PDB file of all heavy atoms in Angstrom:
ATOM      1  N   PRO A   3       2.496   4.772   1.069  1.00 55.00           N
ATOM      2  CA  PRO A   3       2.596   5.286   2.364  1.00 55.00           C
ATOM      3  C   PRO A   3       1.429   6.376   2.650  1.00 55.00           C
ATOM      4  O   PRO A   3       0.969   6.394   3.659  1.00 55.00           O
ATOM      5  CB  PRO A   3       3.958   5.951   2.230  1.00 55.00           C
ATOM      6  CG  PRO A   3       4.687   5.218   1.233  1.00 55.00           C
ATOM      7  CD  PRO A   3       3.648   4.835   0.195  1.00 55.00           C
ATOM      8  N   HIS A  52     -18.599  10.954   2.652  1.00 91.00           N
ATOM      9  CA  HIS A  52     -19.189  10.647   4.016  1.00 91.00           C
ATOM     10  C   HIS A  52     -18.702  11.289   5.114  1.00 91.00           C
ATOM     11  O   HIS A  52     -19.265  11.599   6.096  1.00 91.00           O
ATOM     12  CB  HIS A  52     -19.128   9.082   4.271  1.00 91.00           C
ATOM     13  CG  HIS A  52     -19.966   8.359   3.359  1.00 91.00           C
ATOM     14  ND1 HIS A  52     -21.390   8.332   3.497  1.00 91.00           N
ATOM     15  CD2 HIS A  52     -19.844   7.451   2.396  1.00 91.00           C
ATOM     16  CE1 HIS A  52     -22.038   7.627   2.591  1.00 91.00           C
ATOM     17  NE2 HIS A  52     -20.928   7.072   1.943  1.00 91.00           N
ATOM     18  N   LYS A  73      -5.551  10.234 -12.154  1.00 98.00           N
ATOM     19  CA  LYS A  73      -4.636  10.691 -13.130  1.00 98.00           C
ATOM     20  C   LYS A  73      -3.604   9.711 -13.673  1.00 98.00           C
ATOM     21  O   LYS A  73      -3.234   9.703 -14.749  1.00 98.00           O
ATOM     22  CB  LYS A  73      -3.937  11.972 -12.547  1.00 98.00           C
ATOM     23  CG  LYS A  73      -4.827  13.257 -12.495  1.00 98.00           C
ATOM     24  CD  LYS A  73      -4.112  14.434 -12.023  1.00 98.00           C
ATOM     25  CE  LYS A  73      -4.896  15.679 -12.185  1.00 98.00           C
ATOM     26  NZ  LYS A  73      -3.992  16.939 -11.781  1.00 98.00           N
ATOM     27  N   ASP A  99     -12.970  30.376  -3.812  1.00 97.00           N
ATOM     28  CA  ASP A  99     -12.274  30.493  -4.993  1.00 97.00           C
ATOM     29  C   ASP A  99     -11.703  29.168  -5.623  1.00 97.00           C
ATOM     30  O   ASP A  99     -11.927  28.873  -6.809  1.00 97.00           O
ATOM     31  CB  ASP A  99     -11.164  31.595  -4.985  1.00 97.00           C
ATOM     32  CG  ASP A  99     -11.595  32.929  -4.893  1.00 97.00           C
ATOM     33  OD1 ASP A  99     -12.845  33.280  -5.252  1.00 97.00           O
ATOM     34  OD2 ASP A  99     -10.872  33.755  -4.368  1.00 97.00           O
ATOM     35  N   VAL A 102     -14.791  26.949  -6.748  1.00 98.00           N
ATOM     36  CA  VAL A 102     -15.214  27.244  -8.095  1.00 98.00           C
ATOM     37  C   VAL A 102     -14.192  26.674  -9.229  1.00 98.00           C
ATOM     38  O   VAL A 102     -14.642  26.201 -10.197  1.00 98.00           O
ATOM     39  CB  VAL A 102     -15.443  28.777  -8.318  1.00 98.00           C
ATOM     40  CG1 VAL A 102     -15.596  29.246  -9.755  1.00 98.00           C
ATOM     41  CG2 VAL A 102     -16.513  29.318  -7.413  1.00 98.00           C
TER      42      VAL A 102
END
Side-chain angles (χ1 to χ4, degrees):
H52 287 292
K73 283 182 173 182
D99 290 338
V102 169

